[in-house]
Amino acid sequence: MVATLAAALSLAACDSKTATTGEARTTPNAEAMGKTDSAKIDEAAPTSGTAAVAAEEANAKPGPDPSTIPAAKAGDAATIYARPQVPILCYHQIRDWTGRDSKSAKDYIVPIAAFKAQIKMLADSGYHAIQPDQLYAYLTTGAKLPSKPIMLTFDDTDLDQFTIAHPTLAQYGYKGVYFVMTVSLGRPHYMTKDMVKQLSDEGNQIGSHTWDHHNVKKYQGKDWETQIDKPTKTLEEITGKKIKYFAYPFGLWNTQAFPELKQRGFVAAFSLAEKRDQQDPLFTIRRIIASGYWSPRTLHNSIVQSF
Ligand SMILES: [Zn+2]
């Protein structure tokens, strides 16, 4: 049972390639895969000395708690929608491929060396990893962000996010955002509650990714309690902090979900590459899946072209 569930969950991943949806959306990688020549990777020297310290400070700045931002200071939907988007990357598993990984699964499984090269490229190119509170303040009030902001998000609670991604990010002073699916906590190949607490204590953001990855568009009756309320309570008990950010399983959403999430205390929600909702851009913040096939240069081109 556990093994079956774990296997199902590990390949459920966040994308909706296999899900049927009427919404206009692009396959996360298709747009970018074919285009490789227009962007140029910055040739910045590796960070060192005072530059590294400055980068670390810019990366670590947490941003104001959304609840402290007066409503009167927040822009309307049109203003928020019009602001330039901050690139946001979505990762799942970070491990070397095996013979059992399907062609399509490899978009969601980034080999360790490829992941390290992608993150190094971001650092060498001068990107600053920001946190959701900073993004929220920027989108709602126009608050200033560090130069070349980017957000690094990790879905589905995979163990390698703690063992591989976390120390790799730390090497560059980067903090991440971890969207946890609470059913998997403590299961083989997934993070434990203690790991999630450590990530939170170190200043990484913990967000909700439901209980067991059911599609938000299909919730009825008690599903909101099972998939949203209980996981929020679990994550708040683990971290001792309010859970304010949500990532849609498979990236799928509908407008009926927005009031449900808002009344449960969420201030923003993250989808995948599809279009944003113009009336509720904070609840359809776009991310792209950083594919396991991508070289650092391809990733850079995708960042430039997708946001
Ligand atoms: Zn997911």
Side-chain angles (χ1 to χ4, degrees):
M1 164 59 192
V2 171
T4 312
L5 178 63
L9 290 172
S10 71
L11 286 177
C14 280
D15 185 51
S16 58
K17 258 188 217 160
T18 54
T20 311
T21 168
E23 278 162 22
R25 67 184 307 282
T26 49
T27 307
N29 313 312
E31 273 185 291
M33 289 294 277
K35 311 175 190 169
T36 49
D37 54 353
S38 65
K40 198 162 178 270
I41 296 179
D42 297 6
E43 303 291 345
T47 48
S48 63
T50 51
V53 173
E56 185 142 357
E57 279 168 6
N59 288 324
K61 209 182 273 176
D65 187 310
S67 65
T68 67
I69 298 174
K73 270 192 76 182
D76 58 12
T79 305
I80 291 169
Y81 190 84
R83 294 197 204 283
Q85 295 174 67
V86 170
I88 307 179
L89 304 183
C90 177
Y91 287 99
H92 296 90
Q93 296 180 51
I94 297 140
R95 63 165 174 79
D96 293 340
W97 293 341
T98 73
R100 291 159 67 192
D101 295 325
S102 70
K103 199 163 169 279
S104 61
K106 290 175 182 172
D107 274 324
Y108 309 97
I109 306 168
V110 182
I112 294 169
F115 178 78
K116 290 181 175 176
Q118 290 183 1
I119 301 301
K120 181 177 187 302
M121 178 279 291
L122 296 176
D124 289 350
S125 304
Y127 281 96
H128 293 106
I130 65 163
Q131 284 283 289
D133 285 352
Q134 288 172 285
L135 179 69
Y136 184 89
Y138 159 72
L139 289 172
T140 56
T141 71
K144 209 171 176 308
L145 290 174
S147 60
K148 299 190 86 169
I150 195 161
M151 191 180 292
L152 306 172
T153 72
F154 299 85
D155 290 11
D156 296 358
T157 339
D158 293 294
L159 178 61
D160 40 54
Q161 295 171 5
F162 185 83
T163 56
I164 308 293
H166 166 239
T168 303
L169 264 54
Q171 221 180 311
Y172 301 101
Y174 285 170
K175 308 281 186 198
V177 185
Y178 297 84
F179 289 109
V180 172
M181 168 172 75
T182 51
V183 69
S184 54
L185 286 168
R187 292 190 189 278
H189 311 298
Y190 291 95
M191 289 194 275
T192 64
K193 290 182 176 184
D194 285 346
M195 292 172 187
V196 171
K197 178 171 169 44
Q198 185 184 328
L199 289 172
S200 173
D201 288 350
E202 290 177 7
N204 302 281
Q205 185 80 42
I206 305 301
S208 171
H209 197 42
T210 75
W211 180 59
D212 69 349
H213 218 275
H214 273 68
N215 178 354
V216 167
K217 292 167 76 175
K218 296 185 175 166
Y219 292 177
Q220 295 178 330
K222 287 197 89 115
D223 290 340
W224 286 100
E225 191 184 330
T226 307
Q227 297 294 338
I228 308 292
D229 296 341
K230 288 181 179 173
T232 296
K233 192 164 176 286
T234 301
L235 294 173
E236 289 184 345
E237 281 168 4
I238 291 170
T239 62
K241 296 172 188 163
K242 197 165 155 31
I243 300 299
K244 302 172 283 194
Y245 300 100
F246 182 75
Y248 300 102
F250 314 104
L252 295 175
W253 52 269
N254 56 17
T255 54
Q256 292 95 299
F258 305 157
E260 298 283 352
L261 292 169
K262 288 175 190 175
Q263 76 182 44
R264 288 168 166 83
F266 290 99
V267 300
F270 296 80
S271 58
L272 287 170
E274 75 271 27
K275 284 184 189 151
R276 292 176 294 162
D277 182 276
Q278 292 200 31
Q279 273 71 50
D280 249 317
L282 288 174
F283 279 77
T284 50
I285 298 174
R286 292 177 62 248
R287 305 183 290 168
I288 58 168
I289 288 176
S291 170
Y293 292 104
W294 287 358
S295 67
R297 179 171 292 271
T298 308
L299 173 63
H300 190 270
N301 291 339
S302 301
I303 290 168
V304 171
Q305 288 160 14
S306 302
F307 291 94

